[in-house]
Amino acid sequence: MEKYFKKTTPTPQPQEDIPETSKRKRLSIIPKPLASDDLPSDPALRKKMSMYNINEIDDIRRKYIQKGPCQPKQHLFPQTWFGKFSRRFNCSWFDTYSTWLEYSVSDDSAFCLCCYLFKPYEGDKAGGDTFVTVGFRNWKKPDKLLEHVGIVDSSHNKAWEKYQNMRKAKHQDENYKQAMITAPRNNLMRAPLIQSQLMAIASAETTRLILKDLNHDLFAVLIDESRDISIKEQMAVVIRYVDKKGYVMERYLALVHVPETNALTLKKALDALFCKHNLSITNLRGQGYDAASNMSGDINGLKSLILKENNSAFYVHCFAHQLQLTIVAAAKSDKKIVTFFNTVANITNVVVASCKRRDVLREKQVDSIAKALDMEELNTGQGKNQETTLKRAGDTRWVLIIVQYAV
């Protein structure tokens, strides 16, 4: 009869009756953020980076970078017998390899901090797992430490470069915050300085809101590079993601100056940008560029360099660039449009080749602007009606004119 009656006070179930696996699953639903003290300093006691939550990896890297390599210089290093001779870890190695060499007191072995944090993938023959998980303890062969560093393009040096980029990005953020705290707040500040600071604050706040909306989720990048008016190469980066409401969002992230436009330089600039904004390349699921070889090349293009680190970052030829090429091809099939641009190109060549013709063009332009101002067809103001130079026609510069002319 008990099954027909409902008990008002449930009988508490003993804690030991709950399976241990069930407890672990329930506790793992809401991960607790790791503090610096929760991360073991001893390299032999650390978990692999792949065992951490993917959204916490970059934060863990920053905390280990802030700690620095584990170098217990006051430790009494134990002796190990190698045949007839006993050897031990030499404390002077800390001075020689001060930026990355670590020692484990619990395991009496040496490790590499930057390889632990940024090693590209398991089983890399160039770097091996000795200095990452196993630990190096062959004290009679200290030259193996130098071998681990290797050549310029070694696995260690690639990890070291990423380590440096993340450390520099962290220092830049700290310097910016300190500059804003110590900035003078009196009437002696000039308008350009105030404007510069306001622009920096607005830029930082806008970027912060974009990254907050992204919330460490999956995203794609759209990248293009071109020269600005000061003849500097600039790389524009746009991120594309799906927000919490299910809408596809495209947000301009940064304009980065690059000294060269080869794929390696662009990749380094992108890695530095990701480190600065706490973006993980493991979350990258798409990349869109034009068809230039340095961007989409199958061997040494930016696309291929990213795919080596993350094979889920699928490449798609930029639709806007495809549309641009389609418009250009369609425009060139129309005789009137072709005649128009040929005429523009001839006029440009004739004027640019002669200083006298340039002066005549300038005088005509000044008279035209003065007449338009008198008729109130143009407005005056700072930065308006400036003298400009002629540019030769190109497919990328004349797309808008082609569309307007065709319409």
Side-chain angles (χ1 to χ4, degrees):
M1 296 293 293
E2 290 182 1
K3 65 180 180 179
Y4 296 100
F5 295 91
K6 186 176 181 181
K7 294 181 181 181
T8 56
T9 305
T11 304
Q13 188 176 5
Q15 185 67 24
E16 56 270 17
D17 293 341
I18 301 176
E20 189 64 25
T21 56
S22 176
K23 294 180 186 177
R24 286 198 297 267
K25 289 181 180 179
R26 185 173 60 193
L27 291 174
S28 63
I29 295 175
I30 305 176
K32 180 182 178 182
L34 289 172
S36 297
D37 297 337
D38 298 330
L39 301 174
S41 297
D42 192 312
L45 303 179
R46 299 170 185 163
K47 296 192 300 184
K48 292 182 179 180
M49 293 301 295
S50 58
M51 298 175 66
Y52 287 107
N53 187 313
I54 191 171
N55 294 325
E56 296 179 345
I57 288 179
D58 282 343
D59 188 39
I60 292 171
R61 286 169 173 165
R62 289 187 181 87
K63 290 174 181 176
Y64 270 120
I65 290 174
Q66 185 176 6
K67 280 186 172 186
C70 178
Q71 299 179 346
K73 297 183 178 180
Q74 305 301 323
H75 177 65
L76 184 61
F77 300 101
Q79 298 278 351
T80 303
W81 286 95
F82 293 91
K84 298 181 180 180
F85 302 96
S86 63
R87 309 274 185 176
R88 66 177 179 179
F89 182 90
N90 192 335
C91 189
S92 65
W93 296 339
F94 284 144
D95 298 328
T96 307
Y97 308 102
S98 60
T99 54
W100 60 267
L101 183 61
E102 297 188 291
Y103 176 82
S104 169
V105 175
S106 64
D107 195 50
D108 184 31
S109 54
F111 293 82
C112 176
L113 177 60
C114 61
C115 286
Y116 167 71
L117 297 178
F118 295 100
K119 189 168 183 293
Y121 53 86
E122 297 294 332
D124 185 0
K125 295 180 180 179
D129 288 331
T130 302
F131 286 87
V132 179
T133 56
V134 180
F136 171 78
R137 57 177 64 88
N138 192 357
W139 310 133
K140 69 175 182 178
K141 293 185 178 181
D143 55 325
K144 292 291 183 181
L145 298 174
L146 186 60
E147 277 186 31
H148 170 71
V149 176
I151 59 177
V152 176
D153 200 32
S154 67
S155 176
H156 170 86
N157 283 321
K158 289 180 181 178
W160 170 247
E161 187 175 1
K162 295 178 181 179
Y163 179 94
Q164 286 288 78
N165 288 337
M166 181 169 281
R167 188 171 67 172
K168 289 178 181 178
K170 185 176 184 301
H171 288 169
Q172 288 174 356
D173 290 342
E174 292 176 351
N175 292 338
Y176 170 76
K177 292 177 182 178
Q178 184 64 27
M180 295 308 299
I181 292 173
T182 59
R185 293 176 175 83
N186 52 40
N187 295 330
L188 296 178
M189 292 181 66
R190 298 182 179 180
L193 179 59
I194 297 174
Q195 292 172 357
S196 177
Q197 291 186 351
L198 289 175
M199 290 174 62
I201 293 171
S203 175
E205 181 64 14
T206 302
T207 304
R208 186 188 69 82
L209 292 176
I210 293 173
L211 297 176
K212 181 181 179 181
D213 190 37
L214 177 60
N215 194 26
H216 300 286
D217 209 341
L218 305 179
F219 67 98
V221 292
L222 305 175
I223 299 176
D224 196 9
E225 48 82 19
S226 63
R227 291 184 180 182
D228 62 10
I229 195 171
S230 61
I231 320 298
K232 289 184 178 180
E233 293 290 347
Q234 306 284 356
M235 182 179 74
V237 181
V238 174
I239 60 173
R240 183 181 174 93
Y241 61 95
V242 179
D243 66 3
K244 297 177 182 178
K245 298 181 180 179
Y247 294 103
V248 178
M249 310 298 292
E250 283 189 2
R251 293 290 181 260
Y252 166 76
L253 184 62
L255 187 68
V256 183
H257 169 62
V258 288
E260 299 180 44
T261 58
N262 59 65
L264 287 175
T265 303
L266 298 178
K267 179 62 168 57
K268 290 179 182 178
L270 187 63
D271 286 341
L273 183 66
F274 278 12
C275 290
K276 177 180 179 181
H277 296 302
N278 194 17
L279 294 173
S280 176
I281 198 170
T282 55
N283 287 352
L284 193 61
R285 289 298 180 270
Q287 41 181 332
Y289 323 122
D290 57 21
S293 60
N294 64 329
M295 304 296 288
S296 59
D298 292 331
I299 300 177
N300 295 320
L302 178 61
K303 172 194 74 174
S304 302
L305 295 179
I306 292 178
L307 285 173
K308 288 179 182 178
E309 294 189 30
N310 179 6
N311 56 11
S312 298
F314 299 104
Y315 166 74
V316 177
H317 189 178
C318 176
F319 288 161
H321 187 253
Q322 291 187 53
L323 177 60
Q324 174 182 319
L325 296 177
T326 303
I327 293 173
V328 171
K332 288 182 177 179
S333 64
D334 188 296
K335 292 182 179 180
K336 294 182 180 179
I337 296 178
V338 173
T339 302
F340 169 74
F341 283 109
N342 286 338
T343 304
V344 171
N346 291 333
I347 293 174
T348 303
N349 292 334
V350 170
V351 174
V352 171
S354 172
C355 295
K356 293 182 179 180
R357 298 189 189 106
R358 288 190 183 188
D359 292 338
V360 172
L361 181 62
R362 291 192 184 100
E363 292 176 2
K364 295 294 183 182
Q365 181 66 11
V366 170
D367 294 339
S368 177
I369 292 176
K371 189 179 295 184
L373 291 174
D374 292 338
M375 300 177 63
E376 297 184 354
E377 294 179 356
L378 290 177
N379 297 323
T380 59
Q382 185 176 1
K384 293 185 177 182
N385 308 317
Q386 299 295 307
E387 181 179 307
T388 58
T389 58
L390 291 175
K391 298 291 183 181
R392 288 184 171 84
D395 291 344
T396 57
R397 293 195 189 111
W398 294 90
V399 172
L400 180 60
I401 298 178
I402 293 174
V403 175
Q404 291 176 343
Y405 188 81
V407 174

